[in-house]
Amino acid sequence: MQVTLDSFALKSFTKSLNCLSRYGEELTIYATPETFSLSATNLSKSAYCRFKYEKQFFSKYVLNEQKSTGTEWGLDEAISVTGQMLIKPLLSILKHRTVEKTVEKCEMSIIEGNLRMEDGSPVEDNLVVRLYCKHGVVKTHRLLLLTPTSLMAPGVPDAYNESNLTIGPKAVKDMIEHFPLARGVKSDPQLIWSFGESEVELRSLESSIDSKGKAQLITELTISAEEFDVYNVYASPTTIAFHLREFNATIAFAESMSLSLNIRFTDPSAPLFIDVEGDSLEALFVISTSQVHGAVTGAPSQYYQPLANKKRERDETPVDQNRVKKPTKVAQRINKLESLPQSTQVVRPTPVVQRTESDMTMPPPSFIPPAILPHNPFQEPLFWPSSSQLSAANGVAFQGTGLGLEYMDADELANMLEGEGEEVAYDFSAMVVLPVNPHRSYVRRANFRVLSKSEPTCTTT
Amino acid sequence: MRFRASIENVPTFFKIMQSIEKLQKKCIIKFTETNMHIICNNDANEGGIQVWSQIKVDSLFVGYRIQSNAANEITMALSSEALLAALKSASPSTSSTYETEEVVMKLAKKNGQAVLTLEINSLTRVGRKVRVSHDVKIEVMRPNDVARLSEPLCPEPDLHILLPPLQKLRTIVERLRPMSDILAVRANNSGCLQLSINTEGVKVDTEWKNCTNPKTQNAEDEDEAPDPEKMFSVLVSIRSFLKFLNSHVVSTTTIACICQNHCMILYVYIGDVADAGGVLTFYIPAIIDDENL
């Protein structure tokens, strides 16, 4: 595969990468003869974003034809190239100050390692970035490209109860600016949005990760719905809550490109979809929402299930009406490529769901492996309202522990933490990694509050 | 207990809180019928710097109403960062692009929690109304605890001197900070001010001349004219001094007083000295250098 970008297109491309880097660490590239997609998913899979460039965006766009093995699927768009890599290195190449000023064109090519090693494992692919700068300077960077280990695909919203809104990035930024964000990387604040008949209300929600200073402040903002260019709420009031980190990244991207945001959502337990469309560019952002307890919802939630036997409700805040459950995943791990024959680098770009009542077209997800298309997506929603998943910030905190916590779901974590047989409220933010011993990492658990009658304990492992 | 006022001068209030917030996470605000006092008296803060300020109600608020059983005074402890964040959103000078029409500050109770509510009514870019409200959690202090708050006692200062613009002092002190933990402040009655550090490795003296020595009220009492060239000095923690210098955002005039071997008092005037809207008083305790005794 070989693509060439002129300096103008490169700017837009870098902005996309910048946005992707705020969603996740890994970039997935997916190229078909007509489109070139870049996607990223965050650590806890609660946010997904994808930029899809049309062929016209590039000054040159060539895909390796001989790689085509997709004909056996009987598909037109069978030729494709995929790859996965870390975003940061690529971004640091393109975002470099001198590059931004002097580059005239940028050529990216994927050199495929068709050869196989002796043990049968394939030689890694390379992404070669060649920058043609002023004065005849040519910079070549070679980046390792991995085969995607898993394919992420966003779910598709149901059409009938969908609300859609359009708003300019500046207007929404003005709103969010009134909500002070806690300092520090770990903080990932959530906002509760209530879309009413004629007014939109935003409230801040203190999540467990916030630094203690911010719990001191609760902010509310009420604004006329007229601030939205399009305001179709299926059932008002609809209340949804979601994390700001990725949303802010989306706004920043839309603002830098001067494009407006088309926001779609269904009910509080289904994810939020944001479309940003520009010249030869379609960007899709999916952010999982959390359900707000005690919120008035106009429409009955179609996914809502009472969670009677949930083990670890955060019981320490019974007064708080606005308890929010953990966000759900927006992207699902679909399959391991290894389980498919070699030819399955070709994936079938068929839309998962035929949309019934909407005239809006949902862009197909970048990866839908043919083997495991859901038989009936309506019966098996991709998103469960349960809180079995953990938020991004928790995920980051867990990764630091070295206990493999990030691979557990909430129940497993609860089981692990309840090894002493007591039910305790656990404050995730209090988990501190002390890099004292280079060979082991310590996890200090503080802030255990015992909910049963036995006396408080504080354990250190 | 009732309290309600609309903040007329948001930028000044914001700047005051900016300098307070750098000092201490929590601060005490005492509202009386005529003044607002912001107090930072936490001994825990490093270097022992304290702030006792007094700001005239008229210089910040309009429509100020206060009522309580404790002689119409309300004293509360709150997170300075939270109040600062709330004021930031109300402040037209910062990034907010909404045009603020009115900012009302009032005492309220929400879900059993006492809060100081800031209600901001503003207009968007296209002139539509936006309401923003911030609830800053507070603890209302009991009169007994309030009575126990007391300003530090200091002897009659040996010397008064007007400091050069704090911004300029700050650039210099920030350079000195990596080299020493202790700063010597020296001044005399003929307009000379010195900031020095002296460590094993380095000795730096910075001198300002032609500073003003303000006349003190009881100047006529001093029968024996002190030697105007005599230097008075005090050693303070350089970190504390830098914390005080954070008030450069709000300061117009600053008078420094040196009580030799005891402390340094700094009066930061908000607005003109003549009709000062208020004054922030910083107390920085002296570090007693045993070797010199």
Side-chain angles (χ1 to χ4, degrees):
Chain A
M1 184 208 79
Q2 191 177 31
V3 299
T4 309
L5 295 138
D6 58 26
S7 64
F8 179 76
L10 185 66
K11 268 191 191 122
S12 149
F13 192 79
T14 310
K15 281 172 190 165
S16 305
L17 278 178
N18 201 23
C19 180
L20 284 157
S21 74
R22 288 172 72 179
Y23 269 74
E25 288 172 1
E26 296 235 306
L27 175 73
T28 308
I29 300 170
Y30 174 64
T32 69
E34 293 305 315
T35 58
F36 183 81
S37 305
L38 301 169
S39 59
T41 311
N42 73 355
L43 207 64
S44 59
K45 299 182 188 63
S46 64
Y48 168 88
C49 95
R50 185 192 60 204
F51 291 84
K52 198 168 179 181
Y53 288 100
E54 281 167 33
K55 195 176 159 186
Q56 291 79 6
F57 176 80
F58 304 93
S59 34
K60 197 173 136 201
Y61 189 88
V62 183
L63 220 61
N64 264 0
E65 300 273 336
Q66 64 269 33
K67 192 103 205 307
S68 166
T69 39
T71 38
E72 64 198 68
W73 299 99
L75 294 168
D76 299 335
E77 278 192 278
I79 312 151
S80 71
V81 174
T82 59
Q84 192 171 14
M85 62 185 299
L86 289 173
I87 300 177
K88 284 266 160 66
L90 179 59
L91 191 61
S92 60
I93 293 169
L94 298 179
K95 224 181 148 187
H96 195 273
R97 216 170 347 119
T98 54
V99 166
E100 282 175 333
K101 273 185 197 154
T102 63
V103 78
E104 279 162 351
K105 69 170 180 171
C106 166
E107 199 179 274
M108 274 186 252
S109 40
I110 293 179
I111 311 292
E112 282 160 58
N114 286 323
L115 301 165
R116 286 182 166 267
M117 307 275 272
E118 284 169 12
D119 57 352
S121 65
V123 174
E124 281 98 351
D125 297 350
N126 271 320
L127 175 74
V128 179
V129 180
R130 191 161 284 156
L131 298 158
Y132 294 88
C133 304
K134 278 179 195 162
H135 314 300
V137 174
V138 180
K139 295 183 190 176
T140 309
H141 300 267
R142 210 172 283 272
L143 297 156
L144 197 66
L145 202 62
L146 305 169
T147 309
T149 49
S150 63
L151 298 170
M152 299 295 178
V156 179
D158 279 318
Y160 82 92
N161 61 349
E162 186 177 272
S163 304
N164 69 73
L165 317 167
T166 303
I167 189 164
K170 285 223 171 74
V172 68
K173 199 176 159 208
D174 285 350
M175 291 184 210
I176 291 175
E177 253 168 15
H178 286 269
F179 293 84
L181 304 179
R183 288 169 204 156
V185 220
K186 277 190 182 177
S187 86
D188 191 8
Q190 275 194 70
L191 283 192
I192 305 171
W193 301 62
S194 295
F195 298 96
E197 198 78 43
S198 59
E199 282 191 328
V200 179
E201 190 191 290
L202 280 76
R203 263 178 302 147
S204 58
L205 180 97
E206 305 311 329
S207 75
S208 59
I209 305 289
D210 271 2
S211 78
K212 57 187 176 182
K214 281 302 154 191
Q216 300 289 322
L217 184 68
I218 293 167
T219 302
E220 259 182 64
L221 182 143
T222 316
I223 197 164
S224 160
E226 288 169 31
E227 200 68 14
F228 291 80
D229 302 327
V230 174
Y231 190 80
N232 296 321
V233 175
Y234 174 75
S236 57
T238 300
T239 301
I240 57 170
F242 54 88
H243 285 279
L244 275 185
R245 183 190 295 197
E246 288 87 7
F247 191 63
N248 279 339
T250 304
I251 294 169
F253 171 76
E255 198 185 6
S256 68
M257 301 288 291
S258 309
L259 298 170
S260 57
L261 305 149
N262 300 303
I263 302 169
R264 291 179 287 138
F265 55 90
T266 50
D267 67 20
S269 55
L272 179 84
F273 288 77
I274 304 162
D275 298 297
V276 175
E277 282 180 29
D279 292 340
S280 321
L281 162 71
E282 267 174 41
L284 169 73
F285 306 90
V286 190
I287 298 170
S288 74
T289 58
S290 321
Q291 205 155 18
V292 184
H293 281 249
V296 196
T297 314
S301 166
Q302 67 175 139
Y303 293 139
Y304 182 74
Q305 298 169 324
L307 296 153
N309 49 3
K310 230 182 115 242
K311 257 182 123 181
R312 281 183 74 253
E313 289 276 345
R314 301 271 171 107
D315 289 324
E316 65 263 43
T317 52
V319 245
D320 190 0
Q321 290 269 302
N322 305 321
R323 203 153 13 111
V324 164
K325 282 191 273 166
K326 289 289 164 204
T328 50
K329 288 181 183 176
V330 295
Q332 264 199 350
R333 192 173 289 266
I334 290 188
N335 203 352
K336 296 241 169 188
L337 265 193
E338 287 85 354
S339 67
L340 298 169
Q342 179 63 18
S343 62
T344 50
Q345 283 209 339
V346 176
V347 293
R348 192 159 64 178
T350 322
V352 216
V353 172
Q354 294 83 13
R355 288 156 53 84
T356 46
E357 285 172 52
S358 168
D359 51 356
M360 280 180 66
T361 49
M362 164 71 195
S366 53
F367 299 110
I368 305 295
I372 47 120
L373 274 178
H375 299 298
N376 191 343
F378 290 107
Q379 279 178 2
E380 279 202 67
L382 286 174
F383 305 97
W384 296 103
S386 91
S387 64
S388 60
Q389 287 102 21
L390 302 158
S391 83
N394 285 345
V396 174
F398 291 164
Q399 238 188 2
T401 64
L403 292 174
L405 296 177
E406 65 272 26
Y407 303 115
M408 299 184 180
D409 66 17
D411 287 340
E412 285 167 19
L413 179 70
N415 287 338
M416 194 192 112
L417 295 177
E418 282 167 13
E420 286 160 60
E422 284 171 338
E423 201 185 353
V424 291
Y426 180 69
D427 186 2
F428 292 119
S429 60
M431 187 177 283
V432 183
V433 181
L434 299 172
V436 188
N437 188 331
H439 305 295
R440 286 179 58 190
S441 65
Y442 289 85
V443 181
R444 191 174 66 193
R445 297 196 214 127
N447 244 358
F448 274 77
R449 254 185 294 162
V450 180
L451 297 179
S452 58
K453 42 215 166 291
S454 52
E455 55 189 51
T457 50
C458 188
T459 33
T460 309
T461 51
Chain B
M1 205 181 292
R2 282 165 208 278
F3 173 75
R4 187 195 155 94
S6 60
I7 309 176
E8 194 188 34
N9 197 342
V10 181
T12 307
F13 198 0
F14 175 66
K15 283 180 196 159
I16 294 171
M17 283 316 294
Q18 258 186 321
S19 43
I20 297 291
E21 186 260 339
K22 297 246 172 59
L23 217 65
Q24 223 170 272
K25 282 210 154 61
K26 282 217 141 193
C27 70
I28 296 169
I29 300 185
K30 179 171 162 185
F31 291 101
T32 68
E33 282 174 324
T34 52
N35 285 310
M36 175 176 79
H37 301 265
I38 301 176
I39 300 164
C40 296
N41 67 337
N42 200 339
D43 297 329
N45 88 43
E46 185 232 359
I49 185 168
Q50 294 199 13
V51 179
W52 292 73
S53 60
Q54 168 167 332
I55 297 127
K56 279 182 197 150
V57 158
D58 301 340
S59 61
L60 292 183
F61 305 103
V62 288
Y64 184 90
R65 268 168 283 164
I66 188 164
Q67 193 188 329
S68 84
N69 292 333
N72 289 344
E73 288 183 6
I74 298 172
T75 310
M76 57 186 78
L78 51 83
S79 150
S80 30
E81 194 188 351
L83 181 58
L84 181 71
L87 285 168
K88 187 180 180 195
S89 119
S91 175
S93 65
T94 53
S95 52
S96 165
T97 43
Y98 292 159
E99 196 184 318
T100 310
E101 288 191 312
E102 195 189 20
V103 184
V104 174
M105 184 163 81
K106 62 186 186 187
L107 202 61
K109 204 158 201 181
K110 294 198 176 161
N111 296 328
Q113 166 71 50
V115 290
L116 191 65
T117 301
L118 262 83
E119 283 175 1
I120 306 159
N121 284 309
S122 41
L123 297 176
T124 63
R125 289 166 200 270
V126 281
R128 292 192 195 98
K129 281 192 174 166
V130 189
R131 291 196 309 276
V132 183
S133 92
H134 298 280
D135 295 335
V136 182
K137 277 186 197 165
I138 57 164
E139 287 163 48
V140 176
M141 291 173 70
R142 280 170 299 183
N144 288 349
D145 296 333
V146 177
R148 246 175 274 148
L149 293 172
S150 60
E151 239 175 292
L153 287 171
C154 299
E156 187 62 31
D158 297 306
L159 178 110
H160 291 76
I161 193 161
L162 243 74
L163 292 185
L166 298 187
Q167 182 78 64
K168 290 188 177 160
L169 283 185
R170 192 164 167 246
T171 2
I172 285 159
V173 179
E174 267 175 352
R175 296 281 171 99
L176 300 178
R177 160 75 197 90
M179 296 187 275
S180 172
D181 288 331
I182 295 172
L183 176 77
V185 183
R186 282 190 289 268
N188 67 12
N189 267 313
S190 50
C192 174
L193 170 78
Q194 289 179 352
L195 298 182
S196 320
I197 57 163
N198 191 358
T199 64
E200 276 177 17
V202 65
K203 185 174 186 293
V204 182
D205 282 319
T206 323
E207 190 175 86
W208 280 267
K209 288 206 163 130
N210 302 325
C211 295
T212 315
N213 291 102
K215 289 215 170 68
T216 43
Q217 282 127 355
N218 48 0
E220 64 272 14
D221 298 347
E222 295 170 37
D223 299 328
E224 82 286 15
D227 178 9
E229 297 300 324
K230 191 192 173 202
M231 294 297 256
F232 293 95
S233 74
V234 67
L235 300 178
V236 293
S237 144
I238 205 162
R239 278 178 205 222
S240 295
F241 199 75
L242 269 177
K243 281 183 180 166
F244 142 72
L245 288 175
N246 282 324
S247 65
H248 73 89
V249 285
V250 74
S251 70
T252 50
T253 314
T254 311
I255 298 178
C257 308
I258 294 175
C259 310
Q260 206 157 222
N261 289 327
H262 189 93
C263 72
M264 188 167 184
I265 309 168
L266 299 134
Y267 300 101
V268 177
Y269 288 91
I270 299 155
D272 223 19
V273 195
D275 62 342
V279 56
L280 304 177
T281 311
F282 290 77
Y283 294 93
I284 309 178
I287 294 168
I288 310 296
D289 191 348
D290 294 329
E291 286 170 30
N292 287 358
L293 287 178

